[in-house]
Amino acid sequence: MKKLLLIALMLTASFHLRAQVKTPQASPACKLEQKVGLTDISVQYSRPGVKGRTVFGDLVPYDKLWRTGANKNTIITFSDDVTFDGQTVKAGSYAIFTKPGKSLWEVYLYSDTENWGTPQKWDDSKVAAIVKAKSYPMSFNVESFSFDINNITNSSATLEIFWEKTYVAIPFEVPTDTKVLASINEALSGTPKAEDYFAASVYYYQEGKDIKQAKEWIDKSMAMSSDPAFWQLRQQSLIYAKAGDKDGAIALAKKSMAAAKEAGNDDYVKMNMDSLKEWGAM
C-alpha cells in the first residue's frame, strides 16, 4: 500500500512538473542557511500548514517515524563534522526523521536523503546520530511548519522546530576552536600581518584563553598599525583590563573614546564611558 502511494505521489509530482499552469504548493519549499562559527549549515524542507487541524498526536501521531515536514524528506547539510549529544556527524547531507512524543522527541540523522517521506525500508546502518530532544508547549500558534537555528555562539547552536504550539530544541556543536587554532598557528608561524595578530588576540579574549598571550599579540598588532581605529583601541583596552592592567586599560579606553567622538560613533563613546565608570576612572 505504501509503495502504491509513493508511486501515486511521484506521478502527481511529475504531472505538475509538465503542467503549464502554475499554482502554489500546498507545502511550500524552504531553504534555511546559517553559519555557526566557521561551519556552513543549510536545511531544505517543505512547510505544511496547521489549517485548523490538530497536528501532534493526530495528523502527526506520537511515537511513529515522521518525515519532519512534507513531501521529500527534510535534508540538513554541514560543511564540517559536527557533534550532536556527543555523537560525531561527518560533514555532508542527512535526512532528518523524528519520532514526536508528548514531552520528548527522538531525532534521527539518516545518511540516505533520497526518500519521499520516510524510507520504505529502515536501515540502522544509515543512522548517523540519534538525539533525544525535549518538546515544549508554546502559548501561541505557529501556522507553518518551521526550522530555525538559534542560540548561536562561536562553537555551538540549537536546531529548532516550531509547529502548531510545539517547540523542540536540538543543541549541537561545531569545530570552530580546532579550525581557528589551526589558522592562527599557520598564520603566525609565517609572515603575520597586523590583522592576523589582532584577530588572534580578540579570539583568545572572547574564548577565555591565555589572556597574557592575547595581550602580547594585540600589542604587536597595534605596533604594526600606523593609526589604530577607535574600535581596535577598544578591543585592546578590554584585553588589558582582563589581563589585570587597569591603568593601561583606562588610558586606551580614553584614546578610543576620543577617536570615537572624532569619528561620530556614539555607540563606542558610550561603551568606553561605561567601561571607564566600571574601572573607577569617571
Side-chain angles (χ1 to χ4, degrees):
M1 180 67 183
K2 188 173 180 181
K3 187 173 182 179
L4 290 174
L5 179 60
L6 176 62
I7 292 171
L9 287 169
M10 292 177 68
L11 289 172
T12 301
S14 176
F15 173 80
H16 283 298
L17 286 173
R18 295 196 307 269
Q20 293 180 341
V21 175
K22 304 298 181 183
T23 58
Q25 291 181 316
S27 300
C30 181
K31 184 174 183 180
L32 166 67
E33 294 181 312
Q34 179 64 59
K35 184 178 285 291
V36 178
L38 299 176
T39 302
D40 294 315
I41 300 167
S42 68
V43 183
Q44 293 176 271
Y45 66 108
S46 294
R47 305 185 66 187
V50 175
K51 300 177 181 178
R53 301 171 291 185
T54 298
V55 175
F56 295 109
D58 189 359
L59 178 66
V60 177
Y62 288 132
D63 304 317
K64 288 190 177 181
L65 197 66
W66 179 42
R67 72 181 76 188
T68 322
N71 303 325
K72 183 180 178 179
N73 55 231
T74 291
I75 299 174
I76 189 166
T77 301
F78 309 103
S79 63
D80 298 305
D81 297 356
V82 298
T83 304
F84 282 85
D85 194 23
Q87 303 165 80
T88 299
V89 176
K90 296 293 185 183
S93 296
Y94 300 87
I96 301 177
F97 297 114
T98 53
K99 283 184 182 177
K102 290 183 179 179
S103 60
L104 196 68
W105 286 33
E106 287 187 357
V107 181
Y108 299 82
L109 296 183
Y110 196 74
S111 62
D112 180 3
T113 62
E114 297 302 317
N115 294 282
W116 191 271
T118 56
Q120 286 186 282
K121 184 178 180 181
W122 187 260
D123 185 347
D124 284 335
S125 69
K126 295 179 179 179
V127 177
I130 304 175
V131 183
K132 292 185 184 295
K134 289 185 178 180
S135 170
Y136 300 92
M138 298 190 299
S139 60
F140 57 92
N141 185 71
V142 175
E143 174 63 27
S144 300
F145 176 73
S146 302
F147 275 97
D148 206 348
I149 296 175
N150 282 310
N151 303 316
I152 298 168
T153 71
N154 285 341
S155 58
S156 65
T158 304
L159 178 66
E160 299 176 331
I161 297 172
F162 304 84
W163 200 21
E164 196 182 27
K165 292 187 176 181
T166 295
Y167 164 73
V168 179
I170 311 158
F172 65 93
E173 298 173 352
V174 295
T176 304
D177 198 54
T178 300
K179 295 185 73 173
V180 172
L181 293 181
S183 173
I184 289 173
N185 290 336
E186 182 179 359
L188 300 193
S189 63
T191 309
K193 300 178 181 179
E195 294 86 349
D196 297 319
Y197 282 120
F198 184 82
S201 65
V202 171
Y203 182 77
Y204 263 47
Y205 165 74
Q206 290 176 340
E207 293 301 308
K209 296 186 181 295
D210 187 346
I211 195 64
K212 290 183 180 179
Q213 181 65 82
K215 186 173 182 289
E216 179 184 326
W217 283 338
I218 202 157
D219 285 345
K220 286 185 178 181
S221 175
M222 293 305 200
M224 296 168 71
S225 304
S226 58
D227 186 22
F230 59 85
W231 50 271
Q232 292 173 308
L233 292 164
R234 166 72 179 165
Q235 288 295 331
Q236 190 179 22
S237 73
L238 294 174
I239 289 171
Y240 268 54
K242 194 169 183 179
D245 185 350
K246 185 184 286 189
D247 290 341
I250 289 170
L252 287 164
K254 288 179 177 178
K255 287 178 67 176
S256 174
M257 185 165 66
K261 285 180 178 177
E262 186 176 345
N265 192 305
D266 293 336
D267 290 340
Y268 271 80
V269 171
K270 183 180 186 308
M271 285 189 286
N272 281 298
M273 287 183 66
D274 289 345
S275 292
L276 288 168
K277 288 176 183 177
E278 180 186 341
W279 301 332
M282 292 187 71

